[in-house]
Structures are given as C-alpha cells and as structure tokens.
Amino acid sequence: MNTVPLWALVLALVVLILCSAFFAMAETALMAANKYRLRHLAKRHHRGAITTLWLLDRTDQLLSLILIANTLLNAMATALVAALAILFFGHEESVLSIATAVVAFLLIVFAEISPKIIGATYPETIALGASRVLRPLMTVAKPVIWFVNLFVRLVLKTLRIRTGKEIHQHRVSPEELRSIVLEGGNFIPQKHKSILLNLFDLETISVEDIMTPRAQVEALNLALGVDEIKRELTTCYHNKLPVYEGEINQIVGILHVRKAVALLNQADELTVAHFRDLLVPAYFIPQETGVFTQLQYFQENRERLGIIVDEYGEVQGLVTLDDIIEEMIGEFTTSVPGAARSDSFGWDANGECLLEGSTPLRDINKRLGLGFPLDGPKTLNGLMLELLQDIPDSPISLKVAHCVIEVIQVHDQAIKVIKLKRPATGKRLV
C-alpha cells in the first residue's frame, strides 16, 4: 500500500463510484424506457434499440449482471476507503466508522440517487447507449450470472414464486391504451387523437346512444294513399326510408327513394302495390347491441341502415352506418336541417345555450364540455323527466351539480325547449 501513490488510490475510488453510477443509471433507464418506442426504432433497424430489446427480453440475467457488478463495486469502494483510513489514521474505531459513513454517503449521492434520477429523466437516450456496453459484459459474465441465478431459482422455488417470460408479458388494457393516447401530447395530431379516443368509446356505448329516436325518424306510411306518398317522396331528405303500414311499429320494409322516384315518372297509374314491390326486408337491431359490434354486423350483412327495437319488438329508432362513422371521426353530414344532432349549438356570450328537449345527452357532453350521466335517459327531456318525476306544466329551473337547467316550453307531454346555463369556471357537471 505504501508503494501506491495517494492520487492513484483516490482515482481508483472515483472510478469505482463512476462505474457503480453507470450501472445504477443504466438499470433505471432500461426499466423506464418506452418499449413501444423501442420496438418502433427496432423496426427501423436501429442497432441500439435492437440491443436494448434483446436485454429486456432477458430481464433476469440483466438484473443479475447489474446487481452483481454494483455489489462488487460498492464493496471494493468501501474496502478502499477503509484501507485509506487505516493507512493514514491507524486502527482507530472512530476513524473507521467515519470512513464507512463517508463512503456510504458518497455511494448514495453519486452512485445511487443522482444517476437513477438521470436515468429516469432520459430513459431512451441512456438505455440505447448503455445497452451496447451491457450486452458484451453479459456475455463475458455469463458463467457467474448462471451460478448466481442457480441459487436465486432455488430460493424462488422454495417460496413457490413462478417465473418465466409469460409472467412478465402484460397485455395493455383499453384504459391503458387510452392513457397512452392522452399522454401522446404533441406527437399525435389533435384530430387523430380525437378519432382514437372515439374508437375506445365504441366498446362502451350501445346503438341506443347514437340512434335517431322514433319521433325524429323520417318514414313512409303506405296507409296514407298514393297522393300523400308522392308528396312525401318528393320532399324527403334521405335516400332510404323505413316503410310502415298504419303505425310505426308495423315496419314492412325499406324503400330506396331513387327507385321510387323513377317509378313516379311512369305514365301508368300508380298504386300502393307498386311501391310495396320496391321494398327490401328491414334489418332489425336489439337496442342493447354495442356500437362496435353493430359496425361488424353492418359489414358482415352488407347493410347500412337498421331499425332498433326493444325487448317487446317496438320500434325505438334507427341507426345507420353513417351514424357510427360520425361517432368515430365527427359529424360530416347535415341530412336533416335543424336536427338535434347538428353541430349548431354552443354557449352564447352570456354563457347560455338553448336546446331542444330531444337533444342527446352525449352530444351535449361533447359540444358543451359537460358531464351529464349517460347510464339512464339518453336525451335532455328524459333526464329532466327523471329528475322531476313529473311533466312540468309551467317553466321551472333545476340546479344539477353546478349547471342550471331551465324548462322553457312543454308540449304534448314532453319538454320541447330547455335552456342551460354554463357552470362557473373550473366546475364540471358530474
């Protein structure tokens, strides 16, 4: 020891602490690295990403290498400081205690906390560089790692702890995927982010949530006679119309308006039977059917329009392929002027919004940033009737959470017009 210069001993101590810091920083960076980004880089043949994924596929060996190296380095640093203390101050117990405390402090600050914070702050950058050093070291230390893991597996087996690659493969849930999209920040364009979030919502809503209610369904009644049928055909807004006879629950088919208009130009006298011959069978959907499931059914059955019925077979409304597509990417059609699902409503300068009672709650939540419950009534009228437990015969106001809801007009046993007053800043209806 006397032949070794003091500066060499100090330099050796610094090197040991730096090496320990490297392993601590590499461990944190590798564990915190975004595996999806690494896989993306690996597909582009990034060598660092490929090496990093190779190491992460062998987590048990990787952690063994890092912990063995860290333990040896920390033990060597402690022994070196103890030797320096004995060399200069002799075998004083107080000196050895102080030397141990000093080296512990140095290791905690410079070889543990600081490098791990750096590794967690820049995980991908550090992991890509550190992996090129760790892979050769893992190859060299393979016999030592195997010997240590032999005892580790014995301990784990004694404790009945299962290990293996399948234990570490966790599938990402829809909620986790949603969080990934939300945290995408500026990396994902806002429109793309909105579409992705809407796709996740398709799993949680039914066709009843996006249907056109039966009161707003444009349909053709064969019982009205030929003249009335002609008038309705020339003024309708849709290319396909549900056709019923007598009352809406007696759906007899779907009429393609273009074919019917071509029939109007014929010189022969028209009868109801001529229109009946043009009908195609109606496609019925249970109201509890999920939207994503219905999208698949539309594709499999080559349908674009379905009549929604309840458990008693009564018509509740209709849904089209366009409705589902709009639920994913936003509205792009205005098939019926003034329809409740149009994007024409919003808060005015006074923080108020005038709405029809038939406006769907989902649309209100999206347009106005509110949070009306969606597990009960589907429309604003339904929500008010549920809260009031009665049909109001005069204007009335309610304050639900922080949102004031004012009934403006009631007609035909339904609330026709409602005014909403925007909640104060920072308050949200729940």
Side-chain angles (χ1 to χ4, degrees):
M1 182 71 71
N2 294 330
T3 60
V4 180
L6 177 61
W7 65 266
L9 296 176
V10 175
L11 179 61
L13 178 62
V14 172
V15 170
L16 290 174
I17 292 177
L18 290 177
C19 290
S20 181
F22 165 78
F23 283 106
M25 183 169 55
E27 177 188 10
T28 303
L30 285 164
M31 295 300 107
N34 188 324
K35 295 180 178 60
Y36 301 102
R37 177 169 173 77
L38 291 176
R39 291 192 183 100
H40 173 70
L41 293 174
K43 288 179 181 179
R44 296 188 171 187
H45 308 289
H46 191 289
R47 290 188 177 182
I50 295 172
T51 304
T52 303
L53 289 174
W54 184 88
L55 291 171
L56 292 175
D57 285 338
R58 297 158 178 80
T59 307
D60 54 343
Q61 300 179 36
L62 174 63
L63 292 178
S64 297
L65 170 65
I66 292 174
L67 293 176
I68 290 170
N70 253 338
T71 302
L72 292 176
L73 289 169
N74 292 344
M76 293 170 62
T78 304
L80 184 56
V81 171
L84 286 171
I86 293 172
L87 177 62
F88 289 100
F89 301 100
H91 294 275
E92 289 289 337
E93 291 185 2
S94 59
V95 173
L96 289 176
S97 299
I98 294 173
T100 303
V102 169
V103 72
F105 176 79
L106 293 175
L107 291 174
I108 290 172
V109 174
F110 297 104
E112 290 293 336
I113 297 178
S114 297
K116 287 186 176 182
I117 291 176
I118 296 172
T121 306
Y122 307 100
E124 282 85 16
T125 304
I126 294 173
L128 293 175
S131 61
R132 300 186 181 186
V133 177
L134 292 174
R135 182 166 181 174
L137 288 176
M138 183 179 290
T139 304
V140 173
K142 194 171 184 179
V144 178
I145 295 173
W146 174 86
F147 181 75
V148 173
N149 281 343
L150 188 65
F151 292 93
V152 172
R153 284 192 291 269
L154 179 61
V155 172
L156 294 177
K157 187 175 181 180
T158 303
L159 297 175
R160 296 183 179 180
I161 297 177
R162 296 172 56 199
T163 59
K165 184 178 291 188
E166 68 278 1
I167 302 300
H168 303 287
Q169 291 179 342
H170 302 290
R171 294 189 176 183
V172 180
S173 66
E175 291 76 16
E176 291 170 331
L177 280 175
R178 186 184 183 91
S179 298
I180 292 172
V181 173
L182 287 171
E183 294 172 3
N186 297 327
F187 296 101
I188 304 177
Q190 186 59 39
K191 184 62 177 178
H192 296 177
K193 184 185 295 185
S194 176
I195 293 174
L196 289 172
L197 294 175
N198 289 338
L199 285 174
F200 295 136
D201 289 339
L202 292 188
E203 290 287 354
T204 62
I205 62 175
S206 65
V207 291
E208 186 182 13
D209 294 311
I210 65 170
M211 72 178 182
T212 301
R214 60 180 288 173
Q216 298 177 15
V217 172
E218 186 177 27
L220 191 65
N221 185 3
L222 292 182
L224 296 178
V226 174
D227 291 338
E228 184 64 22
I229 291 174
K230 287 182 178 180
R231 189 187 68 80
E232 292 194 11
L233 286 174
T234 55
T235 58
C236 68
Y237 294 105
H238 298 91
N239 185 43
K240 291 183 179 180
L241 294 178
V243 178
Y244 63 95
E245 196 158 17
E247 65 102 13
I248 190 67
N249 288 319
Q250 302 299 322
I251 299 288
V252 294
I254 303 296
L255 178 66
H256 289 260
V257 176
R258 290 181 182 177
K259 294 180 181 179
V261 171
L263 190 64
L264 297 180
N265 297 325
Q266 295 181 5
D268 298 337
E269 183 177 353
L270 292 178
T271 64
V272 172
H274 287 93
F275 295 104
R276 194 186 302 275
D277 292 338
L278 297 178
L279 300 181
V280 296
Y283 177 62
F284 294 96
I285 305 168
Q287 64 181 2
E288 298 86 6
T289 306
V291 171
F292 188 77
T293 302
Q294 187 55 49
L295 179 61
Q296 293 177 304
Y297 287 163
F298 273 147
Q299 184 178 27
E300 293 170 1
N301 295 289
R302 298 182 181 276
E303 296 282 352
R304 299 180 64 90
L305 182 148
I307 307 297
I308 299 175
V309 295
D310 62 11
E311 58 183 317
Y312 303 106
E314 295 189 354
V315 174
Q316 301 299 307
L318 65 80
V319 66
T320 66
L321 181 60
D322 288 347
D323 293 331
I324 299 179
I325 294 175
E326 288 181 355
E327 193 66 24
M328 293 188 290
I329 66 175
E331 294 186 9
F332 58 89
T333 60
T334 54
S335 55
V336 181
R341 295 190 62 193
S342 70
D343 57 2
S344 58
F345 65 85
W347 299 114
D348 61 17
N350 298 321
E352 298 178 345
C353 181
L354 206 62
L355 294 172
E356 295 182 6
S358 59
T359 308
L361 295 176
R362 285 182 54 80
D363 289 356
I364 296 174
N365 288 346
K366 288 183 178 180
R367 305 284 182 201
L368 304 183
L370 299 176
F372 287 113
L374 302 177
D375 53 352
K378 305 303 179 182
T379 64
L380 194 54
N381 171 58
L383 177 64
M384 290 296 293
L385 294 181
E386 182 182 73
L387 294 173
L388 295 171
Q389 296 292 310
D390 192 14
I391 300 175
D393 54 6
S394 61
I396 189 173
S397 295
L398 291 178
K399 188 172 185 180
V400 183
H402 302 286
C403 184
V404 176
I405 307 174
E406 181 180 352
V407 176
I408 302 298
Q409 181 183 4
V410 180
H411 183 66
D412 291 338
Q413 293 78 47
I415 300 174
K416 294 298 183 180
V417 182
I418 293 176
K419 181 192 291 184
L420 299 181
K421 295 185 178 180
R422 182 164 49 190
T425 304
K427 296 180 179 179
R428 182 179 176 87
L429 181 63
V430 294

